[in-house]
Amino acid sequence: MNPLLILVIIALVISGAGLIVFIMLHSGKGTGISDAIASSLYSTSSGTSIIEKNLDRITIIFAVVFLISLILLMIIYPQGTIA
């Protein structure tokens, strides 16, 4: 395995796990995991918008890294043969 393949696979796994975590942290309609875990952080309405914006930015960064690493894997190994 060449080093580029290892780096791309590591980026794919880390960004995939990060996407799962940060998507689960987004607040839904009041019954999300973020409400259960961080309900004390959302005590003020001004702080909520800052936290949500930062959470959105981090989620978008993880999604972009995930997509780029996935596209790189498709270019490096188009038939899916990693040997």
Side-chain angles (χ1 to χ4, degrees):
M1 291 178 72
N2 67 30
L4 177 65
L5 176 66
I6 294 170
L7 288 175
V8 171
I9 290 175
I10 289 171
L12 184 72
V13 169
I14 291 173
S15 62
L19 270 175
I20 291 170
V21 168
F22 284 105
I23 287 174
M24 294 297 287
L25 285 175
H26 278 278
S27 63
K29 299 185 181 208
T31 59
I33 291 179
S34 65
D35 289 334
I37 294 173
S39 62
S40 63
L41 292 176
Y42 297 145
S43 60
T44 62
S45 62
S46 63
T48 303
S49 63
I50 294 171
I51 293 172
E52 287 291 327
K53 285 181 185 178
N54 289 335
L55 195 59
D56 289 340
R57 289 181 187 137
I58 294 170
T59 306
I60 290 171
I61 289 170
F62 273 113
V64 168
V65 170
F66 184 80
L67 288 175
I68 289 173
S69 60
L70 191 63
I71 290 171
L72 282 174
L73 276 177
M74 289 176 6
I75 290 172
I76 294 172
Y77 293 100
Q79 279 77 31
T81 57
I82 298 177

